[in-house]
Amino acid sequence: MAEPIPIRQTAHRIPVQTIGRLSLYRRLLLELSAGGMRQIYSHQLASAAVATPAQVRRDLMMIGFTGSPRKGYAVDELIAAVNGVLAQSVETSVALVGVGNLGRAILAYYTNRQPWVRFVAAFDRDPDKANRIIHGCRVYPFEQAEEVLGREGIRAAVIAVPAAEAQRVADRLALAGVRSFLNFAPVRLHLPTGAFVDDMDMSTALDRVAYYARQQRQT
Amino acid sequence: MAEPIPIRQTAHRIPVQTIGRLSLYRRLLLELSAGGMRQIYSHQLASAAVATPAQVRRDLMMIGFTGSPRKGYAVDELIAAVNGVLAQSVETSVALVGVGNLGRAILAYYTNRQPWVRFVAAFDRDPDKANRIIHGCRVYPFEQAEEVLGREGIRAAVIAVPAAEAQRVADRLALAGVRSFLNFAPVRLHLPTGAFVDDMDMSTALDRVAYYARQQRQT
DNA sequence: GCCTGTGAAGCTATTCACAGCT
DNA sequence: AGCTGTGAATAGCTTCACAGGC
């Protein structure tokens, strides 16, 4: 009865930045592996990821993966190790809320990438959109959210509704058991502690980019 | 001949996080102002922005804006102050590269928001897309990038091309004078120092969200 | 009493730098 | 000779906490 799942427990919390970079490393490594690369040095992976070698080594240390001084890291083993952290062997079910222009583009974007994540349901307030299948994902009226989320065991959602509705949607999803959100609406969400939100605030991002475009001073 | 542009120089560099929050504050304040609010306390703005009051005060300190202990901050003056920092009175011209599903959704998203930023040109490799007008933005063949970017004085661009093309596109834009990038392609870009890149990496974001959806342990 | 402005402290991610290994 | 693994140092954003003001 000691530990039924002795997978790999890296005692400490992994910082969110590291999680993000691990996702990037995996993507790069999958491509390199397909290209025949078997071993890789931290400086090579760092260069591909636009990071420093020390950063790469630190990240891998976080997940308890070790290489050899002589040959660097074994690519396929490293991919497996990252998979072990990012996707605990099962694929994650995700819901999309808001099937407007942006929502559809998001669905199209994710289709046939990341087989470890699957969009199993989409919701829209507009009943005309219900019961259609978009990019292989069934659209339900938002009223059925609780039922479908529960049935599918969905704990992650992508919010692509207008700003004015985002908080209401988030509240309802949270009550239905969703704990992790990818928020495309340009508002910050108030959520119960323990929930995770990743804001993809395109408005803010464009403002930042516009700001730095004007900082053409000496550098 | 002392200082022809005595605008407002807050000696130190403003951190990118602060720039992002200023953008958010402005959006919130515009709405509050439209709703008739004239004064606001740091804790009120903080609550709307899901931040701490100290954070708000520090951010405003960064741009040299001061309130009064009694009444807090004057909403409209604060909006003007943020505008002074984020948009130096002129509107910023931006180009979009890649007019696929995602590119069109991006254009649609930004249309009629943020009047201080304007998409003046879009580019696509596919000549069939050229010379059309999408959401009020003219599409050019990518070959004409240098010419159009130069003519319009464009220094900021949104990259929405497939991963495999993003670096080539970025290189060419950088050579044509673009210094600030909003990158939707799921790769990190290598750019000359001094250039600014904001990565909107949707793949990484979804992986992060999926990861934390599974961390349903005690919190 | 309750707010702002801010020096100082705290925190956490990143980078350094070097011992150890092959 | 050149790489990994990692304690220690660094850096920079955030939070604390309190003086000052109304």
Side-chain angles (χ1 to χ4, degrees), chain B residues 27-38 40 45 48 75:
Chain B
R27 210 180 317 146
L28 297 167
L29 290 166
L30 285 169
E31 207 161 319
L32 292 168
S33 176
M37 189 173 231
R38 300 274 77 95
I40 192 168
L45 185 49
V75 173

Side-chain angles (χ1 to χ4, degrees), chain B residues 69-92:
Chain B
R70 186 58 124 196
K71 326 175 111 189
Y73 303 94
V75 173
D76 290 336
E77 285 178 34
L78 179 47
I79 291 172
V82 174
N83 278 337
V85 174
L86 293 189
Q88 254 117 191
S89 73
V90 284
E91 89 186 358
T92 304

Side-chain angles (χ1 to χ4, degrees), chain A residues 27 86 110 186 198 208 214, chain B residues 27 86 186 198 208 214:
Chain A
R27 210 180 314 146
L86 293 190
Y110 285 125
D198 201 322
R208 276 196 300 254
R214 264 185 272 88
Chain B
R27 210 180 317 146
L86 293 189
D198 202 322
R208 276 195 300 254
R214 265 185 270 88

